Amino acid sequence: MSSEPLLRVRDLHTEFRTEDGVVHAVDGVSYDVYPGEVFGVVGESGAGKSVTGLSILDLVQSPGRITDGEIYFDGRDMLSLSDDELRSVRGNDIAVIFQDALSALNPSFTVGTQIGDVIQNHTDATDEEALERTIDLLDRVGIPNAEERVHHFPHQLSGGMRQRVMIAMAISCEPDLIIADEPTTALDVTIQAEILSLLRELQRERDIAVQLITHNMGVVAQMCDRLGVMYAGKLVETGPVEDIFRNTNHPYTKGLLEAIPKIDDPRDRLPTIRGQMPDLIETPTGCSFHPRCPYDEPQCRTEEPPLGGVGEEHATACIRADELELRPEFSETTESESASVDRTGESADPLLEAEGVKKYFSTSSGWIDELLGRGEYIRAVDDVDLSIGRGETLGLVGESGCGKSTLGKTLAHLHEPDDGRILYAGNDLTEMNKRQLKTERSNIQVIFQDPFSSLNPRKTIEQIVGRPLEIHGLVDDEAEKKARVRELLDEVGLNESHLDRYPHEFSGGQKQRIGIARALAVEPDFIIADEPVSALDVSIQAKILNLLMDIQEEYDLSYLFIAHDLNVVQHISDRIAVMYLGEIVEIGTVDQLFNPPYHPYTEVLLSSIPRPVPGKESTRIEPEGDFPDPADPPSGCRFHSRCPHAMPECERTPPESKALDDGHLVSCLLFDEGVMADKEADVSDVIERQRKLREDLRADGVERADSGGGERVDSD
Amino acid sequence: MIPFVGGYIQGYLDKNARYRRIYARFKRNKLAMVGLYFSLIYLVVAILAPLLMPHDPGSTDGARRLMAPTLEHPFGTDRYGRDVFSRVLYGTRISLQVAAAVVTIATVTGVVTGLVAGYYRSWVDEAISRTVDVFFAFPNILLGLIVVAILGPGLNQIILALGIAFAPIMTRITRGSAISVREEEYVLAAKSYGEHSFNIMFREMLPNMVSAVMVQATIIFAFSILAEAGLSYLGLSAQPPTPTWGVMISEGQRNLQTAPWISIFPGLAIMSTVLGLTFLGVGLRDALDPKTDVDTDTTGGL
C-alpha cells in the first residue's frame, strides 16, 4: 500500500482489572488500516477482537482501560483527545456497527429519530433536512417504503432490516472508517449474504475503510482485503487475505481454516485444535499458542515470537515460520462416489416416523380466546412427514422462524402435536399415557442449543447428569450413580474432578459436553440435537461434531440434527430435510440434495453460504424480500414470494411433494410435470443455473485440494 | 458462645462438600456474618427471655413511674412503673414468634401459588392472579378485622390474618420470577428426560428463584412486626399488658415527649432485628448462588 494509513495502531494494551487479576484483553497489538480497504480481525471468542475495536474509540467499559500504546486516526492522536473531541469523531469520522441490532437500537424511539439524532449531532441540519436525509439513507440501504419505515420502532422491523438501519446510521455522517463488530453473526445465512453485499457495495461506493471483526472465515474470505488473526490478545498473523489463505504461516490460522466443515467434505472427523483459549490473566509464557500448537518446540515456551515478515505485507508471530510448510490441508476426496457409499440412508428400518404432524401456536392473548378458538395461529409445523432410520442422521435446515426447533421439540414430545401421528419404533407417542411416555422419554433425548441456559446453574454436574439416571431407575444407590456419571463424563471427554463443579465454571464447549453426557445418561436410541454447535467457536464446534459422530458409532444412535448452517449439517448427516415456513420443501440424501435439480429454496441457501475461498465473488441467488409473517403465510407455494423462479401458478397452487429420485422429495411446481407440461424450457434453464452453482461450489473444493499438502495436524 | 457455634457448624460442614462451599461463600461476606450473629443473639434471647429478665415484665410499681434509664432499669420504666428492659426482652419472644409464623405462612402459600401459576400459565395462572388481585384490594387492617370478626381477637388470629395478607405479594414475586425461569432450557431439558412437574417446579426452578423470594421474605418479616403493632394498637391483636414490641411502641406514644425511652428501645429492637435479618437474607441469597464463587464482592450487593 502506498498511501498513508488511515488508522495506525501501535502496541495497544487494554486491560481489565478484576478481583482475580488483570485481564490482558489486548496485549500489544499493532496494525494499520488504509483508506478504502476492508481489514478483517478474526479469531475465537475471548481473543480480544471486540475490545480492540472498542479501544479505538475509547469505548471500553470500566473496569477496562487502555494502559499503553498509540492510536493515530487520520494523523490525530486518539488517546490524547478530550471527551468533546472524541464525541465529534465518534459517528462522524468513525462509526460502529454492533452485532445485535435489537439491543443497539433504542426500543423507545423510531428509527428515524435515532438516525436523525446522529445527523443533527454532527451537522447543523434542520429537522426536515435530517428526516429527508434519513429517508434517503434508508432507501440506500435497501429498506422498502423508506418514507413509511422511518416512523417505525425497532421491534417492528425484522432482524435483517434492523441491521440495515444500523448500517444507515453508520454511514449517515459519511465516516472514513466503520468498525463492524460481528455485524452478521446473529443473522440467517440468506440475510447475512444480503447484509454483507450491501456493506461491500457501500464501502466501495463511498470509499469507506472497514475494520470487520468476525469469527467466520467465510465472511473474511468474501469481504476483506487484508486480515489480522488474533489469539489471546495478540495478532499472530497479518497480511492480505489471499496470502493468508494460500500461504498460511501460523499454526493457529491453519487450525481455524481446517476446522470449518466444507460442502462435499467426506464424513470424517474434522481436524481440531487441542485444548482451549487460555484465560487472559495468566497467558502461557513464550508463544501463547504453544500449549495448543501441534508444532511446538521447547524454545516456544520461553521465547515470545515477534510479529515478523514472511512476505512483503505478510507477517506472522511464529518462530518456526520459516521452516514450517503450513498450507491448510483440505480433503482431497472431492469425488462424490466415495462419499455416497457411506451416505445412503438406511430407510429399511425406520425408528421414528412422523405422519402429518402439525403444531400451531396461538397468537391470541388470553386463555379465554384460546378456549373459544379465536385469534390467529402461527403454523410453526404444518403437515410434516418424516422418517428416520436406525443409526441414521437426518439433518434439518432452514432459516430461523421456519419451525425446525418446534418440529424437533414436537418429535421429542416436549410439545403436544395438534394433529398427526408420531411413531417411535412402531408405537404411537401421541396416544400414550403419561406412564408409557415416561418410559419412552428415555429413548428419545434432546441436546439443546444454548449450553449456557440448558444446564441448571444451581446444580452440580453430578446432580445434572445423575438426575435422569435416578428418574428412570437405572441406578440403585448413590455409589452406583456416581460411578455411572463418572463413566459418562469420561465418555464425553471430561474428568471426574468436574463432578462437584457448577456449570458456570465451564467453557461453552465443555458445557455442551455436559449436555451430551446428560442426554446419553439414559441410553437413548434417538437424539434430537437442536443447533448443538451454533453457539460455539469453530475449533470447539469441530470437536463437538467429532464427539457426536464418535458416540453415534459407539451407541448406534439415530440423530435428528437441527441447524441453520448447511455446511455443518451436510458434514454430519446422511439425509437432509430443508424446511421453510413450517413445511418440508425438500428431503433427500446429501448427494441428492446437492446435485441439481433441487428446490429453489435449497438453491438460495446453498448460494448464500459465505465460502472460505478468497477472491471469489459469490454467485449468490438473491431471495426476494424478507421472511414472511408466519401467522399469514403466502398462498399457494409458501416460498413464491421470495422465489427467484416464481411463476403465476405458484401463487395459486400449493405444490405437492414429488419424488425426483428414490427417496428424494421436492415440493415445487417446477418439477410437477402436470403444471410444467407446456413450459419445458423454463425447467431446463433452472436446472442449468443450479448445475452452474454446483460446479462453482465444487470448484472451491478442487481448488483447495490443489493447494493442499504439508504436514497433517493430529487431532486431539 | 460464638466461637462454639462456629466450631460446631465447621464440624458439620467438613462432612459435606456442597454445604461447605455455601458456608465458605457466606463467611466471606462480613455483613452476612453480622446478620447471622444478630439473628442468633435474638433467637437465644427469645428462647431464654424468662431467665434473662431482671424484673417481671408485668409487675407495676406506682413509685417508679416513667423513670429514665438507670443501672437498675437500663431502658427506664413506663407509666405503670414496669421495667422496659424486661418487657423488650420478653417482647422479643412474642414479636419474633409472630414474624416468623407470618413469614412462613406467607412464603409457603405465596411460593406454591406463584410457582404453580407461573409454571402452568393458562387458566390456572388466570385464576390465581385474579384472586391475588382481589386480595390486593383489601387493606391489611380490613383483612385483620374480618378474621377477628370471625375468630375473635388474639395473637394467633392475627398471625393467620397477616400471613394471608402478605401471601399475595409473595405470589406475585414468585410468579414473575417463575415465568422467566420457566423459559430456560434446563426446564425443557428436565421435561425431556421425564422429570415430574412437581420436581421441575420445586427442584429445578425454585433454587433459581431464591434471591427474589429471600429478599421478599425479609421485607415481609419487617412488615409483619410493624403490622402487628398497628393491629394491637387497634386492639385486635395481643392485648396489653402482653408486651409485644408493637404494643410497647404504641403505649409509649402518650409519653413520647417526657419519656421517649418507652418507645425508643422497642423501636431499636425492631430495627436491629430487621437489619440483622436483611443482612442474613442477602448473605444467604449470595451464598446459595454458586456463581458468586467468582465474584468476591463482599458487600453482598447491598
Side-chain angles (χ1 to χ4, degrees):
Chain A
M1 300 262 167
S2 50
S3 58
E4 278 294 297
L6 179 68
L7 177 73
R8 202 154 68 89
V9 178
R10 286 291 171 273
D11 201 29
L12 179 70
H13 286 81
T14 304
E15 297 177 352
F16 289 78
R17 288 181 188 281
T18 66
E19 298 274 346
D20 299 325
V22 179
V23 179
H24 305 278
V26 181
D27 196 12
V29 165
S30 305
Y31 64 92
D32 296 318
V33 180
Y34 292 91
E37 74 164 348
V38 180
F39 180 76
V41 178
V42 75
E44 291 173 279
S45 48
K49 312 183 294 282
S50 292
V51 179
T52 308
L54 293 176
S55 296
I56 292 164
L57 283 174
D58 203 9
L59 286 173
V60 184
Q61 308 267 324
S62 169
R65 64 195 186 90
I66 300 168
T67 50
D68 198 11
E70 293 167 20
I71 301 171
Y72 285 97
F73 175 74
D74 214 5
R76 269 189 292 177
D77 180 2
M78 293 291 285
L79 295 177
S80 68
L81 293 186
S82 69
D83 280 358
D84 277 342
E85 288 167 318
L86 256 179
R87 239 198 314 279
S88 77
V89 172
R90 289 178 193 153
N92 200 16
D93 299 323
I94 307 179
V96 188
I97 300 173
F98 292 101
Q99 172 176 356
D100 185 359
L102 184 58
S103 63
L105 292 169
N106 190 330
S108 23
F109 293 99
T110 62
V111 296
T113 324
Q114 296 186 53
I115 299 177
D117 277 352
V118 178
I119 296 172
Q120 286 184 312
N121 266 334
H122 296 290
T123 62
D124 18 272
T126 62
D127 287 359
E128 288 78 41
E129 283 164 4
L131 181 68
E132 204 175 307
R133 256 176 84 183
T134 306
I135 294 172
D136 283 349
L137 283 166
L138 291 182
D139 202 40
R140 180 63 200 89
V141 297
I143 292 182
N145 291 333
E147 267 152 68
E148 199 183 307
R149 297 276 184 180
V150 78
H151 300 298
H152 280 196
F153 288 91
H155 71 265
Q156 293 170 293
L157 304 174
S158 67
M161 289 280 186
R162 283 197 288 262
Q163 203 53 275
R164 282 171 197 268
V165 169
M166 282 298 289
I167 292 175
M169 195 184 277
I171 61 168
S172 63
C173 289
E174 300 185 348
D176 299 319
L177 175 68
I178 291 179
I179 298 172
D181 189 354
E182 305 263 10
T184 56
T185 306
L187 305 172
D188 276 314
V189 270
T190 53
I191 315 287
Q192 162 168 298
E194 280 172 37
I195 296 290
L196 288 179
S197 69
L198 171 70
L199 205 60
R200 190 72 172 148
E201 207 180 297
L202 287 169
Q203 181 264 332
R204 284 188 183 149
E205 176 187 302
R206 308 193 173 202
D207 206 26
I208 304 171
V210 176
Q211 177 176 335
L212 180 72
I213 298 167
T214 180
H215 66 274
N216 188 328
M217 280 296 189
V219 171
V220 168
Q222 281 196 3
M223 291 290 293
C224 300
D225 303 311
R226 291 191 314 121
L227 176 65
V229 181
M230 254 189 120
Y231 181 78
K234 295 190 174 69
L235 279 173
V236 294
E237 186 164 11
T238 61
V241 169
E242 192 85 10
D243 274 11
I244 290 189
F245 275 65
R246 304 237 185 279
N247 300 308
T248 312
N249 249 302
H250 196 281
Y252 179 60
T253 318
K254 174 179 147 99
L256 280 185
L257 282 170
E258 285 178 337
I260 321 167
K262 289 124 201 130
I263 293 286
D264 258 350
D265 62 354
R267 216 188 142 190
D268 280 338
R269 294 178 60 95
L270 288 161
T272 57
I273 309 173
R274 69 184 175 208
Q276 60 187 51
M277 178 96 66
D279 65 20
L280 300 178
I281 295 172
E282 271 181 67
T283 40
T285 53
C287 169
S288 51
F289 188 60
H290 84 253
R292 302 178 68 188
C293 183
Y295 309 105
D296 76 316
E297 289 199 336
Q299 67 190 103
C300 293
R301 283 152 218 234
T302 49
E303 272 174 58
E304 188 172 333
L307 194 63
V310 280
E312 218 167 292
E313 290 161 24
H314 189 170
T316 187
C318 178
I319 46 175
R320 298 187 65 194
D322 294 336
E323 45 181 309
L324 288 178
E325 185 78 21
L326 287 179
R327 292 226 191 83
E329 193 173 313
F330 298 109
S331 143
E332 285 165 43
T333 21
T334 45
E335 297 308 311
S336 49
E337 286 88 6
S338 61
S340 61
V341 180
D342 332 319
R343 293 192 175 201
T344 40
E346 292 165 46
S347 48
D349 181 12
L351 182 65
L352 185 113
E353 283 171 286
E355 288 171 15
V357 169
K358 289 183 185 172
K359 179 69 200 168
Y360 292 178
F361 289 111
S362 163
T363 56
S364 63
S365 47
W367 62 278
I368 296 180
D369 279 353
E370 223 166 275
L371 209 65
L372 297 176
R374 283 200 298 238
E376 286 185 342
Y377 287 96
I378 293 178
R379 301 181 197 178
V381 175
D382 205 4
D383 209 0
V384 164
D385 298 316
L386 270 185
S387 94
I388 299 163
R390 215 173 269 279
E392 186 192 32
T393 304
L394 177 70
L396 184 60
V397 282
E399 288 167 280
S400 51
C402 74
K404 54 188 192 303
S405 276
T406 310
L407 175 58
K409 283 169 189 164
T410 310
L411 293 183
H413 222 272
L414 290 172
H415 293 315
E416 189 84 26
D418 289 320
D419 197 11
R421 299 201 307 157
I422 300 170
L423 299 171
Y424 181 81
N427 305 316
D428 194 343
L429 291 182
T430 50
E431 280 173 7
M432 286 186 182
N433 61 31
K434 270 193 170 174
R435 189 168 302 250
Q436 288 168 311
L437 256 179
K438 191 183 153 189
T439 337
E440 250 4 276
R441 286 238 191 267
S442 66
N443 292 323
I444 307 177
Q445 282 294 300
V446 185
I447 298 170
F448 293 91
Q449 170 176 11
D450 185 359
F452 297 89
S453 117
S454 64
L455 304 176
N456 193 331
R458 300 279 172 139
K459 302 214 172 237
T460 63
I461 303 315
E462 187 187 347
Q463 289 173 308
I464 290 173
V465 179
R467 185 63 194 154
L469 294 170
E470 287 170 8
I471 293 175
H472 293 283
L474 297 172
V475 286
D476 296 329
D477 51 39
E478 279 295 304
E480 197 184 333
K481 185 177 98 184
K482 207 161 199 157
R484 180 82 182 108
V485 172
R486 272 201 197 116
E487 232 173 88
L488 286 162
L489 288 185
D490 187 51
E491 190 74 53
V492 297
L494 297 170
N495 62 53
E496 56 181 84
S497 70
H498 296 134
L499 272 179
D500 283 328
R501 302 227 199 137
Y502 289 91
H504 73 271
E505 297 171 64
F506 295 89
S507 68
Q510 286 175 318
K511 282 186 197 170
Q512 201 53 288
R513 284 173 197 270
I514 297 165
I516 294 172
R518 172 175 61 192
L520 281 180
V522 291
E523 293 162 20
D525 297 324
F526 182 63
I527 288 186
I528 294 171
D530 189 358
E531 305 246 15
V533 294
S534 59
L536 306 173
D537 276 317
V538 270
S539 72
I540 316 282
Q541 170 179 311
K543 287 182 196 171
I544 298 292
L545 287 176
N546 288 345
L547 173 65
L548 285 172
M549 288 192 285
D550 290 347
I551 57 174
Q552 173 166 44
E553 204 162 298
E554 193 178 332
Y555 293 92
D556 195 24
L557 294 170
S558 307
Y559 286 135
L560 175 68
F561 190 94
I562 303 170
H564 63 273
D565 188 339
L566 251 178
N567 275 340
V568 173
V569 171
Q570 61 82 27
H571 181 81
I572 197 169
S573 303
D574 299 306
R575 289 192 302 141
I576 296 181
V578 181
M579 203 164 171
Y580 184 77
L581 266 185
E583 290 177 339
I584 286 182
V585 295
E586 180 166 9
I587 185 166
T589 64
V590 174
D591 286 320
Q592 287 171 338
L593 200 83
F594 286 173
N595 278 318
Y598 33 65
H599 193 278
Y601 182 58
T602 314
E603 188 182 348
V604 166
L605 283 182
L606 271 176
S607 73
S608 300
I609 305 170
R611 283 134 56 189
V613 182
K616 281 241 161 161
E617 288 294 303
S618 67
T619 41
R620 197 166 62 81
I621 295 132
E622 298 231 6
E624 288 151 31
D626 257 356
F627 200 74
D629 179 8
D632 183 23
S635 60
C637 169
R638 290 188 178 180
F639 187 57
H640 84 254
S641 60
R642 297 172 73 198
C643 184
H645 311 299
M647 304 175 291
E649 287 87 348
C650 298
E651 270 175 65
R652 296 189 295 270
T653 329
E656 276 170 42
S657 196
K658 292 271 173 203
L660 291 184
D661 203 350
D662 182 33
H664 184 200
L665 302 171
V666 179
S667 306
C668 181
L669 290 182
L670 283 174
F671 307 112
D672 191 326
E673 276 133 31
V675 180
M676 294 307 293
D678 46 7
K679 298 184 177 175
E680 194 61 46
D682 262 345
V683 195
S684 53
D685 272 3
V686 171
I687 294 176
E688 193 46 48
R689 197 167 138 184
Q690 294 184 340
R691 221 161 247 144
K692 203 171 157 297
L693 170 69
R694 171 66 180 167
E695 268 155 29
D696 272 0
L697 289 173
R698 184 165 284 170
D700 293 351
V702 174
E703 206 167 304
R704 271 196 238 103
D706 288 347
S707 66
E711 294 174 49
R712 178 169 278 282
V713 182
D714 292 343
S715 45
D716 76 339
Chain B
M1 179 197 87
I2 287 162
F4 164 76
V5 173
Y8 178 77
I9 294 176
Q10 202 76 58
Y12 172 76
L13 293 174
D14 281 344
K15 289 179 218 138
N16 193 320
R18 205 153 61 87
Y19 295 120
R20 191 167 61 231
R21 292 179 65 177
I22 293 176
Y23 183 63
R25 283 192 291 264
F26 186 84
K27 215 166 58 174
R28 219 178 37 209
N29 187 339
K30 297 281 177 306
L31 274 180
M33 286 311 279
V34 171
L36 177 67
Y37 288 139
F38 253 84
S39 314
L40 282 177
I41 290 169
Y42 272 105
L43 194 66
V44 170
V45 168
I47 294 166
L48 302 180
L51 303 175
L52 299 173
M53 296 182 302
H55 302 275
D56 179 356
S59 74
T60 54
D61 184 346
R64 291 168 172 272
R65 293 177 59 217
L66 299 175
M67 277 173 60
T70 57
L71 266 184
E72 203 198 337
H73 300 286
F75 290 180
T77 59
D78 66 5
R79 67 193 160 96
Y80 300 110
R82 292 176 299 199
D83 178 40
V84 176
F85 182 62
S86 305
R87 286 174 66 77
V88 167
L89 286 189
Y90 195 73
T92 309
R93 190 173 244 207
I94 301 172
S95 286
L96 285 190
Q97 213 180 322
V98 170
V102 169
V103 169
T104 311
I105 295 175
T107 307
V108 170
T109 329
V111 164
V112 171
T113 49
L115 253 179
V116 167
Y119 179 73
Y120 287 105
R121 305 301 309 271
S122 186
W123 63 269
V124 179
D125 182 21
E126 205 75 13
I128 291 175
S129 295
R130 294 297 81 80
T131 315
V132 163
D133 288 345
V134 170
F135 272 93
F136 265 118
F138 283 97
N140 297 348
I141 304 286
L142 194 63
L143 208 69
L145 280 172
I146 294 171
V147 172
V148 169
I150 299 168
L151 301 173
L155 209 52
N156 291 338
Q157 288 84 321
I158 286 309
I159 289 174
L160 186 67
L162 287 179
I164 295 169
F166 287 125
I169 307 175
M170 196 53 112
T171 308
R172 277 221 176 151
I173 300 273
T174 317
R175 172 182 171 268
S177 148
I179 287 172
S180 75
V181 170
R182 178 181 183 258
E183 300 304 320
E184 298 283 341
E185 271 185 341
Y186 55 80
V187 173
L188 208 58
K191 261 187 222 171
S192 79
Y193 58 66
E195 187 69 276
H196 195 274
S197 293
F198 181 85
N199 282 338
I200 292 182
M201 281 189 271
F202 291 94
R203 289 181 58 159
E204 298 285 334
M205 289 167 67
L206 189 56
N208 288 288
M209 296 157 47
V210 164
S211 63
V213 171
M214 196 75 93
V215 169
Q216 191 55 38
T218 32
I219 294 173
I220 292 181
F221 189 93
F223 277 15
S224 61
I225 292 182
L226 299 174
E228 190 272 331
L231 289 169
S232 342
Y233 188 67
L234 291 175
L236 299 175
S237 175
Q239 295 304 311
T242 317
T244 75
W245 291 341
V247 171
M248 291 173 70
I249 291 178
S250 57
E251 270 184 358
Q253 211 184 16
R254 264 183 254 175
N255 304 91
L256 204 58
Q257 299 211 332
T258 51
W261 53 85
I262 305 177
S263 292
I264 284 178
F265 287 106
L268 283 177
I270 293 180
M271 203 185 81
S272 54
T273 341
V274 170
L275 217 55
L277 270 161
T278 310
F279 291 161
L280 180 71
V282 170
L284 272 180
R285 179 192 75 190
D286 291 348
L288 289 174
D289 183 358
K291 275 192 211 117
T292 51
D293 260 357
V294 193
D295 180 15
T296 45
D297 182 8
T298 45
T299 57
L302 270 173

